[in-house]
Each structure stands twice: as structure tokens, then as C-alpha cells.
């Protein structure tokens, strides 16, 4: 059932905001903030990718526990958790690409398998992967795990496109921005 057709009681139980243009603008800003923050901390701390990923994973888990425990939708908590997915995603992508010795192609493959695996298990367990069903702790846990893997895959793909494909970070931003515009045009 579409969110605008839900009763006020059903809508109050939703833990995911409506996916609107405003959602996507905030999502892009939060993702950029998380990736920039993850890279900034990673580059300023000389701890290695494994330790940095552990630090951001702990922050991510704390944010997810707080988000899942919340009884209703709190925008600040939701977007904090989004930023936490991108910070851990950034360091996890760097760990996969640079520290595991599997390079960008291996990191992308690993992250794609993890994303598809989380979607498969989510669907097999609950019968749907729709964000419209995210209103109970189990659904929300799958949502955040899958979102973290997708953000990490996106970061790794962006790094590969910038470095290996040779587009650089500006070219990559324009390429993916153009793809997003195409998706919007196709939708409408």
C-alpha cells in the first residue's frame, strides 16, 4: 500500500521516510558527508584500514541499534544512521580494495555478492524487500544491513571508476550524476 494511503497509525509505525525528491537530495548530501568524513578520518589516522573499519563499524552498529530501538521515525536519528553507513562503507570499501589484496575488481565482486546475499536472505526470510514493509525490528535490521552493503558497493564502484577507469573524481561525479538523472527521467 502506498504511504499516502496508509492510516495515521500505520504511517506512525514507518521507520523509513517517503522516497521523494527531498529524500534523494538529503540522501546525496548525507552520503557525501559520510564518505568525506570516512576518508578524512582514514587519511588523518595512521591506524590501517582494518582498525578504521572496526571503529566505524562500532559507530554504525550503535546507530543501527538506536534506530531499530526507536519506537517511531526520528529524522535526525535516521540521517545519522545513513551517515554511519557511508563512513563504515567508505572504510570497508578501502579495506576490500586495498588491504585484502583483491584490488578493485575483487572488492567489487565481494561487495556485490554480500549485497545480493543480504537481499536474498531478506526476501527468503520476510517475503519482501520493499521499504514499505520496514516497520518492525527484523525488517529494519535487514534494511540497514542491505543499505550498508549497497553504500559500500557504491563507494567501491566510484573509486574504481575514478582510479581504474580513469575518469577522476570529477568525471565520476558527473557520470553517476548523469545516470541518476536518467533514472529520474525514466521514472517520469
Amino acid at each position: 500500500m502506498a504511504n499516502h494511503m496508509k492510516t495515521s497509525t500505520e504511517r506512525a509505525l514507518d521507520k523509513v521516510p517517503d522516497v521523494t525528491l527531498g529524500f534523494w537530495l538529503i540522501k546525496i548530501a548525507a552520503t557525501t558527508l559520510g564518505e568525506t568524513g570516512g576518508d578524512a578520518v582514514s587519511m588523518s589516522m595512521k591506524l590501517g584500514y582494518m582498525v578504521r573499519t572496526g571503529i566505524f563499524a562500532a559507530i554504525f552498529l550503535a546507530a543501527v541499534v538506536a534506530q531499530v530501538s526507536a519506537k517511531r521515525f526520528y529524522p535526525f536519528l535516521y540521517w545519522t544512521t545513513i551517515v554511519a553507513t557511508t563512513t563504515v562503507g567508505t572504510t570497508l570499501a578501502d579495506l576490500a580494495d586495498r588491504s585484502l589484496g583483491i584490488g578493485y575488481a575483487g572488492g567489487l565482486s565481494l561487495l556485490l555478492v554480500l549485497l545480493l546475499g543480504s537481499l536474498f536472505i531478506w526476501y527468503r526470510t520476510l517475503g519482501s524487500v520493499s521499504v514499505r514493509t520496514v516497520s518492525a525490528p527484523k525488517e529494519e535490521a535487514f534494511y540497514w544491513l542491505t543499505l550498508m552493503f549497497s553504500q559500500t558497493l557504491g563507494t567501491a564502484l566510484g573509486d574504481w571508476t575514478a582510479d581504474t577507469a580513469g575518469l577522476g573524481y570529477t568525471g565520476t561525479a558527473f557520470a553517476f550524476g548523469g545516470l541518476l538523472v536518467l533514472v529520474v527521467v525514466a521514472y517520469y
Side-chain angles (χ1 to χ4, degrees):
M1 179 182 329
N3 277 345
H4 67 279
M5 297 172 64
K6 290 183 176 184
T7 67
S8 60
T9 303
E10 290 172 321
R11 187 70 185 112
L13 295 175
D14 282 350
K15 299 286 288 291
V16 178
D18 287 334
V19 179
T20 63
L21 178 60
F23 169 88
W24 285 111
L25 293 175
I26 296 170
K27 175 83 165 72
I28 290 168
T31 300
T32 302
L33 175 65
E35 288 189 24
T36 303
D39 279 341
V41 171
S42 292
M43 291 175 187
S44 65
M45 298 171 67
K46 307 280 191 247
L47 300 174
Y49 291 115
M50 182 66 78
V51 172
R52 289 177 264 183
T53 299
I55 291 167
F56 285 119
I59 294 168
F60 166 70
L61 287 174
V64 168
V65 167
Q67 173 66 25
V68 171
S69 299
K71 299 299 181 204
R72 65 180 187 86
F73 177 71
Y74 294 99
F76 182 79
L77 180 57
Y78 178 85
W79 292 110
T80 297
T81 309
I82 289 289
V83 170
T85 67
T86 60
T87 54
V88 73
T90 296
T91 57
L92 186 58
D94 290 343
L95 173 72
D97 295 340
R98 298 179 181 128
S99 294
L100 296 181
I102 57 178
Y104 285 126
L108 286 168
S109 299
L110 173 64
L111 293 166
L112 180 61
V113 167
L114 291 171
L115 174 60
L116 293 175
S118 69
L119 285 167
F120 177 77
I121 295 168
W122 181 2
Y123 182 79
R124 294 289 293 174
T125 302
L126 301 172
S128 174
V129 294
S130 172
V131 296
R132 302 251 188 258
T133 66
V134 177
S135 60
K138 187 182 271 189
E139 290 96 345
E140 197 169 2
F142 277 115
Y143 172 82
W144 288 109
L145 179 67
T146 302
L147 188 63
M148 189 270 300
F149 284 140
S150 70
Q151 302 259 107
T152 305
L153 179 62
T155 298
L157 184 59
D159 288 348
W160 177 85
T161 304
D163 295 340
T164 304
L167 291 182
Y169 291 104
T170 302
T172 298
F174 281 114
F176 284 104
L179 290 172
L180 289 173
V181 167
L182 288 175
V183 170
V184 170
V185 168
Y187 177 79
Y188 289 105

